[in-house]
Amino acid sequence: MNHHQTIQSTFSLFCLFFFLSPLVFCQLDYSFYDDTCPNLSKIVTYVVSSAIANEIRMAASLIRLHFHDCFVNGCDGSILLDDTSSSRGEKGAGANNNSARGFEIIDDIKANVEEACPSTVSCTDILTLAARDAVYLAGGSYYYVPLGRRDGTTASLSAANEQIPAPFESLGNITAKFTSKGLDAKDVVVLSGAHTIGFAQCFTFKDRLFNFNGSNQPDPALHTSLLKNLQSQCPNQDSSNSNLAPLDPVTINKFDNVYYKNILNKSGLLQSDQALMGNAASASLVNKYSKYPYLFSKDFGASMVKMANIGVLTGQSGEIRTNCRVAN
């Protein structure tokens, strides 16, 4: 047995004993496609960097697409499936309809990957890698993700409506949705940090500007200067519902820790962002990440890897789709 095989078998035993948990980390492998699709990461990075160069907002969109995939019955590429005559997919769910985007970028990557390595790489792994590259290309840290996920054959509109956390929910509800996936309260704070880039539609936070909790008053937890800016970007009429505001107005397109500084300054955009200050443990993490950008980067990569392992299909489960929008 050579050195590499020894390491692999030791790792397998390690997995057997220590990872008997819902996160099936062990069936994934950092070198999964090294022999079957050696240029995979180069192909993904090329397409993602072109997409972000074309539209800088796409970085946040790809990260969110990955999040919304993993939170609905696991990371299985179900969000990418189009509706069929017999079933409605997840694209029409409240959190995704006229909101989830980046599907055509995944299609472009898949077409290039199919040309290089036909019927080998899952759409789920492509989305996982695209999200990782989006973080890095926007200025975040590079983290390694194990691969070998397979694609689900079904999508669920009802599960998407039930399982994706919403910006209007309480911190308790959001945390419960995370823990039901094998994540924890710390992951809530860390992964919320993805709101350091990207935009939100006005309807997702408009109540905070004009009628917080039915009071006919703005949210007192919103800084007055940000409130004035947002009221002009999102006037109190339905026609402004789809207007966009940056989640981090200070460094709009840079993946950094300024999101946490904003929250300390009462300038979190979504109610769910500012809610992180409503609990001593999460507020203490917000404080820590606002001071230590390196710590945030390190923890963000670790939480993304954890999230990317939720309910994955491996081995003979699922399939390798040839078209990400349609089950084979």
Side-chain angles (χ1 to χ4, degrees), residues 244-260:
L244 296 173
L247 285 155
D248 167 10
V250 182
T251 54
I252 296 177
N253 298 311
K254 187 171 190 320
F255 202 101
D256 56 22
N257 69 327
V258 172
Y259 165 81
Y260 298 103

Side-chain angles (χ1 to χ4, degrees), residues 256-305:
D256 56 22
N257 69 327
V258 172
Y259 165 81
Y260 298 103
K261 297 180 184 185
N262 295 342
I263 291 175
L264 290 175
N265 193 31
K266 294 174 71 174
S267 299
L269 181 65
L270 304 176
Q271 191 175 326
S272 55
D273 294 324
Q274 202 56 49
L276 297 177
M277 292 307 289
N279 164 299
S282 60
S284 138
L285 280 170
V286 169
N287 200 30
K288 202 180 280 185
Y289 293 139
S290 76
K291 290 190 183 127
Y292 304 111
Y294 172 74
L295 182 68
F296 165 58
S297 282
K298 182 173 75 68
D299 286 357
F300 188 80
S303 286
M304 284 293 277
V305 170

Side-chain angles (χ1 to χ4, degrees), residues 57-205:
R57 183 183 163 211
M58 191 51 73
S61 300
L62 289 168
I63 297 165
R64 184 167 182 259
L65 203 55
H66 177 44
F67 173 63
H68 284 200
D69 179 37
C70 290
F71 259 71
V72 182
N73 300 333
C75 311
D76 61 354
S78 55
I79 195 171
L80 305 172
L81 290 170
D82 284 339
D83 291 354
T84 67
S85 53
S86 58
S87 74
R88 289 198 60 200
E90 294 163 22
K91 292 179 179 180
N96 296 329
N97 192 32
N98 297 320
S99 170
R101 52 204 300 282
F103 298 105
E104 66 292 346
I105 309 306
I106 302 303
D107 292 338
D108 288 352
I109 299 169
K110 181 62 172 170
N112 285 327
V113 169
E114 281 300 306
E115 210 169 285
C117 338
S119 304
T120 303
V121 181
S122 67
C123 298
T124 313
D125 274 343
I126 286 172
L127 178 53
T128 303
L129 288 169
R132 187 272 309 276
D133 284 356
V135 171
Y136 178 65
L137 292 164
S141 63
Y142 189 89
Y143 56 91
Y144 290 92
V145 283
L147 301 167
R149 295 163 193 78
R150 288 168 66 87
D151 296 321
T153 54
T154 58
S156 172
L157 178 67
S158 59
N161 279 325
E162 288 159 17
Q163 296 174 15
I164 297 172
F168 322 103
E169 288 187 270
S170 68
L171 182 59
N173 280 11
I174 291 170
T175 304
K177 287 184 174 182
F178 272 65
T179 52
S180 75
K181 305 292 174 191
L183 302 177
D184 59 30
K186 179 182 177 182
D187 295 313
V188 175
V189 182
V190 175
L191 292 172
S192 294
H195 290 171
T196 173
I197 56 172
F199 292 78
Q201 296 184 53
C202 290
F203 81 88
T204 60
F205 57 85

